[in-house]
Amino acid sequence: MPPVRTRIAPSPTGDPHLGTAYIALFNRCFAHRHGGDFILRIEDTDRERSSEQSERKILHALRWLGLDWDEGPGIDGGKGPYRQSERSGIYSDHIRVLLEKSLAFPCFCDEKRLADLRAEQMRQKQQPGYDGHCLGLAADEVAKRLQTGERHVIRLKVPREGECVFTDLLRGEIRIQWSQVDMPVLIKSDGLPTYHFANVVDDHLMEISHVIRGEEWISSVPKHVLLYESFGWDKPVFCHMPLLRNPDKSKLSKRKNPTSIGYYQAMGYLPEALVNYLGTMGWSMPGGEEKFCLAEMEAQFDLERVSLGGPIFDREKFDWLNGRYLREDLDDAEFAKRFADWAFRPDLIEKITPLLRLRVNRFSETAALAGYFLQGELKISADDFAHKRLDPEACRRILQFSLWTLESLEDWNRDAIEACFQQLAGKMDYKIRDFLFPLFVAVSGNPVSLSVFDSISVLGLDLTRSRLRNAMDTLGGISGKQQKKLEKEFQTLSS
Ligand code: GLU
């Protein structure tokens, strides 16, 4: 049997997600249980959405959890580079092979043609997808158009008949009709590879033996299988893990549960407790223990025992488990050290120092001013929002619109937050002072506090979201019907 090599391949397009840590944990345990290696690869081919900041946060989050990698950025195992943006030459060499074998083809269809095609397919209640138009072009026409440098993409030829049959380690045989599989773009018009192409080429070149990832990727497997076959490569073992769910069984989403790892760090959970809790998602120790450490999980790990019933990420249960760690695993000295390490995180202190330094005369004034950075949900009441010109409904509206605005903010920094709030206040026809009032209370628990823009930028989106939601609930909440109405209003306002 070839050596076991597993990987996670996050795209650095946002805050590190609990799902990434969950999949990393299972990949790492599986590799180490079998004496193999766990690899980290950064899939940053989407240049517009990827950022270095997001990559840094992902690396930091994985290290914080102790889910470090055997090969990947910073640890060369001879199969690098481990960042797809540094592997362009590899993808161009490989696409040439497929073009020469006529297994892939240039497609010149512009966006308008594809949009019209899609609209027509929808109208006729057909499966939307590429219709193979450019497959019918004569070879000399293709050559001519390529020579003139006409904008095009490269697509994979996908059979229109028959079915793709593959095996998933947890689910057994899966069959998907080829007619359900769109002809995917492999190389975009900017010359960069898409996820499907880069992912398969890299999994092969990095000798990944087992692809263990979330179940949302099952529908991509036929495209990947076809690529492996087109190149004549052996396929890895596929294993699709069940998705994490909210207590109401819906897919874990930030609407209902904070999903960024940074949130759990900022809330003062212990990384070993989070790893332990993620280890109980769809898996259990043979002896049924609920509390176990990473080394114990690695020693006992067994993929076959993953259960497919959607594992529920339950905050209350996690709170209970984290509490057990604090009480059972730390003595006073260790508790004090871990507490101080958390409270005086250098990145937090660095950000709040400039806010405090010019405002206080004594250090003893700082706790009252900046204590809310170290708190979870704030204890606030509807009375805290009493204001001459804003009733509770107006406050809720400001909070909800602000949240939606923050959620679509690309660059999370103080100035961008200020600019978008200034703009929103103008559109909602409020003086900025009035507009900011409910935000001050929601974020800091006080109508006057350190700058609300700085505070939000330091707290991050997940913590801010949970505070704004808490404030809206305190103000009577927003019903489903009101929510729809607000969504419409917000759309009109933003257009
Ligand atoms: N880049 C993909 C992601 O963001 C990787 C999926 C896979 O593991 O194949 O999750």
Side-chain angles (χ1 to χ4, degrees), residues 108-118 151 153 189:
F108 302 93
C109 295
D110 59 16
E111 266 156 42
K112 162 132 187 7
R113 174 167 193 278
L114 295 175
D116 291 349
L117 173 67
R118 201 185 157 79
R151 204 180 150 85
V153 299
S189 59

Side-chain angles (χ1 to χ4, degrees), residues 92-161:
S92 6
D93 290 348
H94 282 81
I95 200 66
R96 224 168 291 135
V97 175
L98 295 187
L99 285 169
E100 275 160 18
K101 292 195 200 168
S102 292
L103 295 171
F105 61 99
C107 166
F108 302 93
C109 295
D110 59 16
E111 266 156 42
K112 162 132 187 7
R113 174 167 193 278
L114 295 175
D116 291 349
L117 173 67
R118 201 185 157 79
E120 181 59 22
Q121 286 166 331
M122 301 292 264
R123 213 175 52 78
Q124 300 209 15
K125 304 216 167 19
Q126 289 169 351
Q127 164 102 357
Y130 186 65
D131 60 354
H133 178 77
C134 290
L135 266 173
L137 299 177
D140 53 345
E141 183 186 344
V142 173
K144 219 186 284 158
R145 289 172 80 171
L146 288 177
Q147 222 163 33
T148 58
E150 188 174 329
R151 204 180 150 85
H152 67 282
V153 299
I154 310 282
R155 284 183 192 271
L156 180 65
K157 240 190 223 174
V158 176
R160 293 295 82 197
E161 274 155 25

Side-chain angles (χ1 to χ4, degrees), residues 7 9-11 43 195 199 211 213 217 224:
R7 53 56 166 187
S11 299
E43 298 209 326
Y195 155 71
N199 183 273
V211 167
R213 61 185 165 197
W217 299 101
H224 299 182

Side-chain angles (χ1 to χ4, degrees), residues 1 18 59 71 151-152 156 179 182 192 223 229 250 255 261 322 364 366 383 387 396 468 479-480:
M1 204 175 106
L18 277 183
L59 304 193
E71 263 176 50
R151 204 180 150 85
H152 67 282
L156 180 65
S179 58
D182 198 10
L192 290 174
K223 293 170 186 165
E229 286 172 356
S250 57
R255 315 251 159 266
I261 299 168
N322 196 69
S364 55
T366 53
D383 294 343
H387 187 276
R396 284 198 302 261
L468 299 191
S479 68

